[in-house]
Amino acid sequence: MPTDTKRITGPESSQSPYDYCPAPSLDLKNLKGKRHDERSNSQLRPLFLRAGVVSHARGSGYIEMDQTKVICAVYGPREVLRREDFSLKGQLTCDFKFTTFSCRKRRQHQQDNQEKDLSLQILEALEPALCLHKYPKSQINIYITVLQNDGCALSASVICASLALASAGIEMYDLVLASSLGVYGSLTLVDPTSLEEETILTKAEKSENNAGIVTVAFLPSISQVSAITSDGELQFDAVSKCMHACVENCQKLYPVLQKALFDHVKEKKESTHS
């Protein structure tokens, strides 16, 4: 049988490159005031926000939380085409996706179960803030892409999507902020990194008490919590304390989101007059 000289034949068997990369480990019990990124346990990561980064979208936003980077685009409101989807109340959809290179292990091109679950969690956090009754027979689509993930991808995505919706001119009761907190026993870590999240959730799988991640979405102006999600094994008292700490962190981030939106409106106004 003739051989195909234009094709490079690979080996019959292969081995994952991750087998040669030892998984990073973190000793949470020996943290003495400073984490591996030099932050204190209660310190937020530096935050960068910008609106209007996707030119062809109705609204868009970009966020950097140190090494976590997320971009979001909003399209609509547009008419619902299928008759079975007709509703007098506007519909909100969310498509969340990690890029293949965003995590330590390569992600798949197709949306997996974790990404579908995060899409639903983001929808639950954003829907209470939107005046969907003002958009009958319409649909608003949110597309979120994580460019780099170093923890708190959910809270970063909620903030970014809130900025994108506001820049799109969608009527909202308030902007939505989100904050995450990692718990391991009596230790609490604000804005946990991906390494801290993996370590805490691994401990939770081994049935250790009070080990998990809590994320709270909050509307600061009307002082209402729109969503709470937790992962791991946490007692009620620990969740309650985490919730109050996350609300305080959301209030700290609120001026940053307001400033990003103000700068976007200012730039848009100047470009219109020029």
Side-chain angles (χ1 to χ4, degrees):
M1 185 175 180
T3 58
D4 188 354
T5 57
K6 295 182 180 179
R7 183 175 303 218
I8 299 175
T9 56
E12 294 182 1
S13 62
S14 62
Q15 199 164 358
S16 172
Y18 298 113
D19 294 342
Y20 301 96
C21 302
S25 59
L26 181 66
D27 189 0
L28 296 173
K29 293 182 179 179
N30 293 328
L31 285 179
K32 298 179 180 179
K34 289 289 184 182
R35 293 143 79 173
H36 64 283
D37 58 358
E38 299 302 320
R39 285 186 296 146
S40 65
N41 295 347
S42 59
Q43 185 178 353
L44 291 164
R45 282 186 277 191
L47 183 68
F48 172 79
L49 277 168
R50 187 174 179 84
V53 294
V54 182
S55 58
H56 61 274
R58 175 73 180 269
S60 59
Y62 174 74
I63 185 172
E64 285 187 8
M65 294 172 59
D66 200 6
Q67 297 302 312
T68 297
K69 301 170 184 178
V70 180
I71 192 168
C72 174
V74 172
Y75 298 88
R78 48 193 176 192
E79 184 182 358
V80 177
L81 298 178
R82 294 190 301 177
R83 181 173 295 180
E84 57 268 23
D85 293 336
F86 173 81
S87 174
L88 288 176
K89 183 181 178 181
Q91 298 177 10
L92 185 68
T93 67
C94 180
D95 185 272
F96 177 93
K97 189 76 183 75
F98 288 103
T99 55
T100 56
F101 51 82
S102 61
C103 302
R104 189 176 66 85
K105 288 190 175 183
R106 184 176 175 83
R107 309 290 301 218
Q108 298 297 319
H109 290 281
Q110 297 293 330
Q111 194 179 43
D112 58 25
N113 290 333
Q114 183 194 13
E115 291 165 335
K116 292 177 182 177
D117 186 43
L118 287 171
S119 298
L120 292 175
Q121 292 180 35
I122 294 169
L123 271 181
E124 290 176 357
L126 294 174
E127 275 186 337
L130 298 180
C131 303
L132 291 176
H133 62 279
K134 294 193 176 183
Y135 301 98
K137 310 176 189 177
S138 302
Q139 189 177 73
I140 300 169
N141 308 110
I142 303 172
Y143 296 92
I144 299 171
T145 305
V146 178
L147 304 174
Q148 186 174 346
N149 179 28
D150 188 30
C152 295
L154 175 58
S155 55
S157 298
V158 170
I159 297 173
C160 190
S162 176
L163 177 63
L165 286 165
S167 69
I170 305 299
E171 292 195 45
M172 305 171 68
Y173 297 107
D174 193 11
L175 297 171
V176 186
L177 277 297
S179 179
S180 297
L181 197 71
V183 180
Y184 176 66
S186 60
L187 179 68
T188 57
L189 301 175
V190 173
D191 264 1
T193 62
S194 59
L195 178 57
E196 291 167 348
E197 286 182 344
E198 289 175 12
T199 306
I200 290 171
L201 294 177
T202 301
K203 299 292 184 183
E205 289 177 359
K206 296 179 180 178
S207 301
E208 298 213 10
N209 293 329
N210 276 353
I213 309 292
V214 176
T215 302
V216 175
F218 184 66
L219 284 66
S221 293
I222 57 179
S223 189
Q224 286 193 4
V225 173
S226 61
I228 302 174
T229 61
S230 64
D231 195 2
E233 296 290 336
L234 289 169
Q235 297 177 359
F236 177 78
D237 292 341
V239 174
S240 180
K241 290 179 181 178
C242 290
M243 179 177 161
H244 286 91
C246 288
V247 167
E248 290 180 3
N249 292 331
C250 288
Q251 291 172 335
K252 293 177 184 177
L253 297 174
Y254 193 41
V256 183
L257 186 55
Q258 286 179 313
K259 180 67 165 53
L261 191 57
F262 175 80
D263 291 342
H264 171 64
V265 174
K266 187 178 178 180
E267 290 175 6
K268 201 170 182 180
K269 185 177 179 181
E270 289 175 353
S271 63
T272 303
H273 288 298
S274 61

